[in-house]
Structure formats: C-alpha cells, structure tokens
Amino acid sequence: MALLNILRYPDPRLHKVAKPVTEFGDRLHTLVADMAETMYDAPGVGLAATQVDVHERIVVIDVTETKDNLLVFVNPEIVWSSPDKQVYDEGCLSVPGIYDGVERPSRVKVRAVDQFNKPFEIEADGLLAVCIQHELDHLMGKVFVEYLSPLKRNRIKTKLQKEERDMQRSSARRA
C-alpha cells in the first residue's frame, strides 16, 4: 500500500468529472487500498478518487470512531434524497483547516458496487449521509466551498494559495 498525494483546492484537477469504472481487477483493489490508507493517515472520514488525481467514480468512507468499517463505493449514485435538510459543518482533505456549514438532504439512498463489482444499496443519515453527498460531489468536480458565498470562497482560495507558496519557498530554502 502507498500514501497518495491529495490535491489541494483550488487545483483545477478537482473540477474534473469522474468516469465510471469499467475494469474490476488488481489495479482497482490496489487503488482502493491506497485510498483507504491515505484517508486514514490524513486523517479523514472520506476520500474520492478525484482528490488523488484519479478521475474514476470511486469513494472510500469510514465515519466510525474506531476506523474499522471501511465502505467502498464504486460507480455510486444517489437514487433518493429526503426533502428535509440539515446544515453540517463540513471539512475536506483537499481544503485543509477550513470548516463551514453546508445544507444538504438529511437522508440519502445510494446504489453502487463494491471493488469486486458486487451491487449494493445503502440508506444513510447523519454524518454518513453528509459524507456520501460530499464525496459524490467530488466525483462531479465540485468542492464543498462552492456551496459558500463568493466572498468566503475567494478568501479560502487566497489563504490556501498563500500557504502553498509559503510551503514551496520553505522547501526551496532547504534544498
């Protein structure tokens, strides 16, 4: 297994729309394992393949405290969402250190296959429902900050770009 590089907002690759997975084999199994290791190491509760510059419809999620219930969604689609909404403070591994409220349906039903191409459906609420919607947004090229006002989004973009420049300068000095 290997840790993968997580793209940081506003990297334009985060806006690519992921394509369906068509091959289920060793490459997919290795990618899922690497994504899970990367998510747990970050640490996070969800990771979409888009965030590691793989533009295929793959998501890993584990919202448990014990980090022992990995859910793998390949080619996921939301087939139902509740009319009632909730606001949840969201964060993102691609937008480190930033949290803000996003309103989403409070319950969803998702249809997907696992990494072995076995179909399943899951109905979720609470943090799992939020996480599923957040990660599926990534597969559509959308980052949670796009739900925020343009002013907030621009402030976040500027802050993260400055942090990136500072990290690059610091690395250049050490080299």
Side-chain angles (χ1 to χ4, degrees):
M1 291 193 299
L3 291 178
L4 304 171
N5 182 48
I6 298 172
L7 300 177
R8 286 173 55 113
Y9 180 80
D11 191 309
R13 293 172 290 181
L14 289 168
H15 298 292
K16 282 187 173 180
V17 175
K19 301 203 178 323
V21 173
T22 57
E23 292 186 29
F24 294 79
D26 290 343
R27 187 191 72 80
L28 176 62
H29 299 167
T30 300
L31 177 60
V32 166
D34 291 348
M35 286 175 61
E37 183 178 2
T38 302
M39 176 190 70
Y40 288 130
D41 183 72
V45 295
L47 186 67
T50 300
Q51 293 175 270
V52 294
D53 203 20
V54 175
H55 303 283
E56 297 177 52
R57 296 187 56 78
I58 307 162
V59 167
V60 295
I61 294 175
D62 188 344
V63 296
T64 64
E65 292 288 326
T66 52
K67 303 299 177 206
D68 61 357
N69 188 29
L70 183 69
L71 301 174
V72 177
F73 298 84
V74 178
N75 299 331
E77 60 178 316
I78 294 174
V79 294
W80 174 84
S81 54
S82 67
D84 50 309
K85 310 275 187 200
Q86 69 180 6
V87 175
Y88 201 94
D89 257 1
E90 294 187 27
C92 181
L93 296 176
S94 292
V95 191
I98 305 296
Y99 299 86
D100 212 319
V102 176
E103 183 179 67
R104 298 184 185 271
S106 60
R107 294 184 328 274
V108 294
K109 183 185 284 187
V110 180
R111 182 178 301 140
V113 296
D114 65 15
Q115 69 265 39
F116 304 103
N117 202 15
K118 181 180 173 204
F120 68 95
E121 274 191 9
I122 184 172
E123 193 166 325
D125 61 7
L127 178 58
L128 181 56
V130 170
C131 193
I132 288 169
Q133 293 171 85
H134 176 109
E135 299 307 334
L136 269 58
D137 273 355
H138 278 301
L139 300 181
M140 298 307 296
K142 189 168 186 174
V143 181
F144 92 97
V145 296
E146 293 171 44
Y147 288 98
L148 308 178
S149 72
L151 177 63
K152 278 187 179 179
R153 197 169 44 251
N154 285 334
R155 283 183 179 161
I156 291 166
K157 185 187 232 178
T158 301
K159 178 182 191 273
L160 293 176
Q161 286 172 327
K162 181 185 181 312
E163 286 176 6
E164 186 70 25
R165 282 192 306 272
D166 291 348
M167 285 186 337
Q168 287 174 353
R169 282 189 200 120
S170 177
S171 294
R173 280 189 219 118
R174 282 182 288 207

